[in-house]
Amino acid sequence: MSRYGMFLVALLVKLGAPADSSLALNSLSAFPEDLEISDYCVDLLRVFGQRYVAYVNCLVSSARPVKVCHNCFSSYGSIVEIYANISSDQVGPGNVSCRDSLLRSDRLMLVYLLQSNLKGIWSESDCQNCVNKGLHSLTNDTLYFMTALNQSLSCFQKYQQANQSELCNECKNTYKSLNDLYSGMEKNNTLCIDIEDAMNVTRRLWSKNFNCSFPREETVPVIAVSSFMLFLPIIFYLSSFLHSEQKKRKLIHPKRAKSNTSLMNIQDKFS
């Protein structure tokens, strides 16, 4: 069996395929196209397979609770690095480029498809919002959020054996700070799936498990506006009533004044 076929067998075994499935790959050694793949390209493919398996294992182990960005950004960076070497136009040893032989030699384009799937998971998870561009470290905002999250969870753990009202009172400030921080990151589009999931779990703990609550500041303007709208009809009818009464008084005064002058004229005639 060729080195390429041996690599595929090893990759299948690492991914959990039955060992018997390797028998179907024996026919690969009969194809002359296998000779077109250089040893350098096969080595790149082997490294890609190893890093692919490592990244998939990291994703699976970080599925619940979701920490795919925090735990797996390093292994994803390794995948991106080796794929860049495979898809590069630059030639390697022996004046060979692996892009055509590994990415474009068949309709399936398996290596490209595998890389696209991993890239899609990374993009759907919004991990780029929590990891720096070099894929070497988490962003400062993410680290700051995780510190605030740990403070809230530590407070929950400290007072969870006490009565619920004590936990709500003692942990209210740390939880509120965490909630405000999350809202700010949401507005700035700096959230990834790890932070979203962590905040959802923390909110469920706060509201459902511990039955805690506190009035949110943004509800104050809403209540004020709602109260104003509620009393607006009353104010309108009251002002209309006062205005109509004032008109009535203005209409009555001239009549009284006119009747008084006519009365005075009659008295003058008889005097």
Side-chain angles (χ1 to χ4, degrees):
M1 184 184 295
S2 66
R3 294 184 62 192
Y4 182 55
M6 293 174 63
F7 160 73
L8 291 178
V9 172
L11 181 59
L12 286 172
V13 172
K14 285 185 178 180
L15 293 176
D20 293 342
S21 61
S22 63
L23 298 176
L25 297 173
N26 288 329
S27 59
L28 289 175
S29 58
F31 289 113
E33 288 84 359
D34 204 31
L35 300 176
E36 297 179 2
I37 303 177
S38 67
D39 292 342
Y40 170 70
C41 296
V42 172
D43 287 338
L44 287 181
L45 193 61
R46 176 180 54 80
V47 175
F48 176 83
Q50 292 173 346
R51 296 182 181 183
Y52 185 93
V53 171
Y55 183 56
V56 170
N57 287 336
C58 183
L59 291 177
V60 173
S61 61
S62 303
R64 292 303 312 162
V66 182
K67 294 183 179 179
V68 295
C69 303
H70 290 69
N71 293 344
C72 306
F73 70 87
S74 180
S75 55
Y76 179 75
S78 298
I79 284 280
V80 171
E81 180 183 9
I82 191 63
Y83 185 79
N85 292 336
I86 292 175
S87 59
S88 175
D89 287 332
Q90 298 179 357
V91 295
N95 202 27
V96 175
S97 173
C98 302
R99 185 179 63 178
D100 293 335
S101 60
L102 297 182
L103 300 183
R104 302 177 178 177
S105 59
D106 57 80
R107 179 179 61 83
L108 181 59
M109 298 188 297
L110 181 60
V111 176
Y112 171 80
L113 186 62
L114 292 173
Q115 175 66 14
S116 297
N117 290 336
L118 297 187
K119 188 177 180 179
I121 294 174
W122 180 267
S123 178
E124 288 294 326
S125 303
D126 290 323
C127 290
Q128 66 276 3
N129 293 337
C130 292
V131 182
N132 289 318
K133 289 185 177 181
L135 301 178
H136 298 304
S137 62
L138 299 172
T139 62
N140 292 333
D141 289 344
T142 301
L143 294 174
Y144 188 64
F145 175 85
M146 297 308 297
T147 300
L149 175 66
N150 290 334
Q151 290 175 351
S152 290
L153 295 180
S154 297
C155 187
F156 293 167
Q157 186 176 10
K158 181 179 179 181
Y159 293 99
Q160 65 180 355
Q161 300 302 329
N163 58 67
Q164 292 180 345
S165 60
E166 184 178 1
L167 183 146
C168 297
N169 290 330
E170 294 296 332
C171 303
K172 178 176 65 176
N173 292 333
T174 55
Y175 176 77
K176 185 178 183 302
S177 298
L178 178 68
N179 207 52
D180 292 342
L181 179 61
Y182 180 85
S183 298
M185 296 179 70
E186 191 174 25
K187 292 179 181 178
N188 296 331
N189 294 322
T190 56
L191 295 178
C192 63
I193 188 62
D194 296 17
I195 294 179
E196 292 175 14
D197 184 73
M199 194 67 221
N200 288 336
V201 172
T202 307
R203 285 174 171 171
R204 285 198 298 268
L205 288 174
W206 176 261
S207 61
K208 293 185 178 180
N209 291 50
F210 305 135
N211 294 320
C212 298
S213 62
F214 59 89
R216 301 179 64 178
E217 294 180 358
E218 55 265 29
T219 60
V220 175
V222 175
I223 295 175
V225 172
S226 300
S227 301
F228 175 77
M229 297 298 293
L230 181 64
F231 286 101
L232 190 60
I234 300 175
I235 296 173
F236 173 76
Y237 287 116
L238 182 61
S239 62
S240 299
F241 174 76
L242 294 176
H243 186 66
S244 62
E245 287 293 322
Q246 189 176 8
K247 276 189 172 183
K248 286 180 181 180
R249 290 177 183 176
K250 287 183 179 180
L251 291 173
I252 290 173
H253 285 305
K255 289 181 178 179
R256 287 180 179 177
K258 190 173 182 181
S259 62
N260 289 336
T261 51
S262 61
L263 181 61
M264 291 175 63
N265 292 333
I266 294 172
Q267 290 177 352
D268 290 340
K269 287 182 181 182
F270 290 96
S271 58

